[in-house]
Amino acid sequence: MHRPVLLVVAHGSRDPRHAATVHALVRRVRSLRPGLRVETGFLDFNLPSVTGALESLDAEGVREVVALPLLLTRAFHAKADIPAVLAQAPRRLRISRAEVLGPSPLLLSALERRLYEAGLTPADKSSTGVVLASAGSSDPEAIAVIAEIAREWRHTGWCAVRPAFASASLPRTEQAVQELRALGCARVAVAPYVLAPGFLPDRIARGAAGADVLAEVLGPAPEVARLLLDRYDEARVRAPAAIGA
């Protein structure tokens, strides 16, 4: 059965670690489903651009594409930038737009994986406060989602979970670390809720200086790769999303 090409739409960054991490994630997705063609396009800074990737696919004769935003929340890029660039795609391409990655239980599993890789164990949960540190957004919906994820994650056994933001919103990572200290948590860990390294993840890391544990970014975690495939499958079974929706 013919399968649409999966086009992973990444933000892009001047930081070379960003594109390298995106490509590592895409390689893992390919390894999980060898028969699926997976391509990458960037909104800014890196090549191929989303437009360039779509034009190349069209020139090859590809007719169906699932465009998947490599984003954790439905903020400006998901609501405006990506629909705008997809609207400029060659007319012969039929494009379905997948949902953003978050929220998802798989992302919580990936966050915990990174914390355990950084040295924590499941036995540490009840005495450890966690800062859920995201890049931040001016979009109230995105901020509310991060706060809700922190509330849900707290119920899985952590001493406390507090959201923090590297830009646009408060509190900052360092403020959340201090708050967890004041609550009396025996240790404080910072879990970056970001997909790839870059300017804002570096700011999160600096803000984590007072914490006991700093996890790595989510990157090519197996749970993230599986989530991309879940979003791809969901986009295929529902009615194609209107590009401007």
Side-chain angles (χ1 to χ4, degrees):
M1 180 180 174
H2 169 73
R3 287 194 251 186
V5 172
L6 169 56
L7 177 64
V8 176
V9 180
H11 184 278
S13 171
R14 292 186 179 90
D15 189 322
R17 296 174 298 167
H18 175 91
T21 301
V22 171
H23 291 313
L25 174 59
V26 168
R27 286 194 297 272
R28 175 154 264 168
V29 173
R30 291 180 181 134
S31 73
L32 292 177
R33 195 171 294 182
L36 175 63
R37 181 174 178 182
V38 187
E39 300 294 341
T40 309
F42 294 91
L43 290 172
D44 208 351
F45 302 117
N46 303 106
L47 294 175
S49 67
V50 177
T51 299
L54 291 170
E55 289 175 348
S56 294
L57 291 171
D58 176 63
E60 289 181 36
V62 171
R63 291 296 166 258
E64 291 188 75
V65 175
V66 171
L68 193 159
L70 197 61
L71 300 169
L72 296 175
T73 59
R74 272 185 51 78
F76 182 78
H77 294 301
K79 294 177 178 179
D81 287 350
I82 291 176
V85 74
L86 293 180
Q88 300 170 10
R91 291 179 178 270
R92 291 177 297 184
L93 286 178
R94 293 188 297 275
I95 302 176
S96 300
R97 193 169 74 247
E99 293 294 334
V100 298
L101 299 181
S104 167
L106 283 169
L107 291 174
L108 290 182
S109 296
L111 287 165
E112 295 205 353
R113 171 189 291 275
R114 293 302 189 222
L115 285 170
Y116 297 151
E117 289 171 349
L120 293 178
T121 71
D124 296 323
K125 291 183 75 168
S126 63
S127 58
T128 301
V130 179
V131 178
L132 180 68
S134 79
S137 173
S138 58
D139 187 305
E141 178 187 349
I143 297 303
V145 167
I146 298 299
E148 179 60 25
I149 292 169
R151 283 192 292 271
E152 290 183 5
W153 202 16
R154 163 68 181 84
H155 295 311
T156 66
W158 296 100
C159 174
V161 180
R162 294 289 185 272
F165 307 94
S167 68
S169 306
L170 294 174
R172 295 286 184 257
T173 302
E174 52 269 33
Q175 294 170 322
V177 169
Q178 292 168 2
E179 182 180 348
L180 291 171
R181 291 280 187 216
L183 282 175
C185 297
R187 67 184 62 78
V188 176
V190 173
Y193 191 61
V194 293
L195 287 164
F199 175 75
L200 293 177
D202 283 349
R203 181 179 288 177
I204 289 171
R206 290 193 298 272
D212 303 294
V213 173
L214 171 62
E216 292 292 328
V217 299
L218 296 170
E223 297 86 355
V224 179
R226 292 208 306 272
L227 180 55
L228 263 69
L229 290 172
D230 286 351
R231 294 291 186 252
Y232 170 83
D233 292 338
E234 292 163 4
R236 289 191 65 194
V237 300
R238 71 171 187 265
I243 293 307

